[in-house]
Amino acid sequence: MYSKITGTGSYLPDRILTNAELESMVDTSDEWIRSRTGIEKRHIAADDQTTCDLAEKAALSAIKAAGINASDIDLIIIATTTPDLVFPSTACLIQERLDIHGCPCFDVQAVCTGFIYAMSIAEKFISSNSSTCALVIGAETLSRIINWKDRNTSVLFGDGAGAVILQASETQGILSSHLHADGQYANLLNVPAGISSNHEMIKADKAFITMQGNEVFKVAVNTLGRIVDETLTANSIKKEEIDWLVPHQANMRIISATAKKLDMSMERVIVTVDQHGNTSAASVPLALDVAVRDGRIKVGDTILLEAFGGGFTWGSVLLRY
Ligand code: ACO
């Protein structure tokens, strides 16, 4: 059995934080942020809004687009680095919100590559006849782990959620998925605290993203180039057969480098990073939903999804929409 996306959805919180506002918070400028990253603004969850709240709105939108009932869903996977609770998983919280009970639900933690991991896992559930209708979500409230006084990170990230319904199909949808990780780079991008280590940083409200941006940038560009080659080779397809690239929305310069590797004009690359910054696991499904809803991505198009993030983790999904 194949897996096909039958509906997409996304949600961005109402509160917008512009580059101009950031100028009054840290030593930065709109010009620096735009030229180095392409980001114009980011959305920030309200104080009482959680990752589950954002995920729920994206999920309801994807369910509606797919024309299914929530009761049809028999698997829920949420990719998130910023879950509501240590446990239960945010996927269990969503299941309760949707008032469906009994199906497997779990969170996936692969930072910015989380949604690619989650899609790949859902596809394997469907191809092994363990599920027929999966709700796959990427959702983050990264604003909760940002040091708003650190200009190296505060200008880059934002909150949001994206979701897809992935259903069993007799025609091909997902053509292949490719997942990787290399823990030797953990120190280049991390939040150096958790439940079982450096817990005092959490208690002191000092558990924030730290990053060596330059190094991350170099590895990201090289690695994404390799995952493109791996995906094309695995499917014996040529670069020009890909209709749309839906990349992780981290940085315009990283996105352009991947497009160049594919000899792809930027008209065929879905870019939303300018509108919401890096939303980690939410970024790929957010961009996908925008392009489906504005009519660029059409049924039958061949689409390459790719992402790179903390871990490092990286991966791709090639699919026929
Ligand atoms: N505003 C103004 N100036 C700044 C800022 C800022 N927000 N941040 C750094 N600078 C300064 C630096 O201090 C430095 O000044 P100096 O030349 O006087 O020393 C100068 O700008 C250049 O700094 P670099 O770090 O070399 O800037 P770079 O061109 O590498 O851009 C950036 C930085 C945007 C972080 C880039 O390295 C990047 O995008 N890296 C990838 C990071 C990323 O996307 N991480 C997310 C997770 S992984 C992923 O999703 C791919």
Side-chain angles (χ1 to χ4, degrees):
M1 195 50 93
Y2 298 115
S3 301
K4 224 172 170 61
I5 294 176
T6 55
T8 64
S10 61
Y11 175 75
L12 290 166
D14 293 338
R15 161 95 171 96
I16 290 173
L17 179 63
T18 62
N19 291 349
E21 283 175 88
L22 274 168
E23 285 178 357
S24 64
M25 295 160 65
V26 284
D27 180 15
T28 191
S29 68
D30 176 47
E31 197 283 326
W32 191 97
I33 301 171
R34 280 177 198 255
S35 61
R36 301 282 175 142
T37 72
I39 299 167
E40 295 173 13
K41 57 187 179 183
R42 66 286 296 142
H43 292 246
I44 306 295
D47 289 346
D48 62 352
Q49 233 176 356
T50 68
T51 294
C52 187
D53 294 327
L54 311 192
E56 182 184 10
K57 287 192 189 297
L60 290 174
S61 171
I63 289 167
K64 191 171 171 202
I68 61 160
N69 296 313
S71 57
D72 296 326
I73 293 166
D74 57 9
L75 171 67
I76 301 176
I77 310 178
I78 300 192
T80 186
T81 308
T82 47
D84 286 29
L85 307 169
V86 173
F87 71 84
S89 70
T90 310
C92 284
L93 303 181
I94 278 284
Q95 190 206 45
E96 165 61 12
R97 299 263 184 111
L98 296 177
D99 195 22
I100 55 176
H101 303 278
C103 70
C105 297
F106 55 92
D107 292 4
V108 166
Q109 219 291 39
V111 205
C112 301
T113 318
F115 181 77
I116 301 291
Y117 269 63
M119 282 276 279
S120 175
I121 296 165
E123 189 272 330
K124 286 167 178 55
F125 267 74
I126 290 173
S127 65
S128 64
N129 292 320
S130 302
S131 300
T132 60
C133 182
L135 169 61
V136 185
I137 307 172
E140 302 280 11
T141 45
L142 289 179
S143 58
R144 307 272 155 80
I145 50 170
I146 299 291
N147 175 359
W148 290 104
K149 295 195 173 83
D150 176 10
R151 71 176 183 172
N152 291 317
T153 52
S154 60
V155 302
L156 301 177
F157 298 98
D159 299 336
V164 302
I165 298 292
L166 195 67
Q167 289 189 265
S169 162
E170 280 172 9
T171 56
Q172 267 195 319
I174 292 186
L175 302 173
S176 73
S177 62
H178 307 268
L179 304 180
H180 296 281
D182 190 343
Q184 72 172 302
Y185 295 107
N187 62 329
L188 294 184
L189 176 61
N190 62 27
V191 176
I195 300 305
S196 72
S197 90
N198 299 335
H199 193 243
E200 64 285 355
M201 291 177 81
I202 293 179
K203 286 195 252 171
D205 200 14
K206 288 186 173 159
F208 300 126
I209 294 176
T210 68
M211 184 182 70
Q212 292 179 38
N214 259 322
E215 294 306 312
V216 175
F217 187 93
K218 280 184 252 168
V219 185
V221 169
N222 286 332
T223 308
L224 288 170
R226 286 205 310 275
I227 197 85
V228 164
D229 284 338
E230 180 183 337
T231 312
L232 295 174
T233 304
N235 290 279
S236 302
I237 69 163
K238 300 194 188 76
K239 295 171 181 175
E240 53 272 24
E241 291 176 64
I242 295 176
D243 295 306
W244 296 102
L245 173 65
V246 184
H248 170 44
Q249 307 289 317
N251 178 310
M252 196 56 213
R253 291 186 296 154
I254 297 175
I255 294 173
S256 304
T258 311
K260 200 168 164 203
K261 171 87 190 167
L262 279 163
D263 296 327
M264 227 175 184
S265 87
M266 287 307 287
E267 278 88 67
R268 290 197 292 138
V269 181
I270 308 302
V271 176
T272 55
V273 66
D274 52 324
Q275 297 300 306
H276 52 64
N278 183 345
T279 56
S280 191
S283 115
V284 169
L286 262 165
L288 179 67
D289 183 50
V290 165
V292 167
R293 282 173 195 269
D294 69 21
R296 276 178 290 173
I297 289 181
K298 296 187 177 60
V299 171
D301 284 351
T302 302
I303 303 170
L304 177 61
L305 315 178
E306 49 83 343
F308 177 92
F312 289 144
T313 55
W314 62 99
S316 66
V317 169
L318 187 74
L319 61 90
R320 192 142 300 131
Y321 195 74

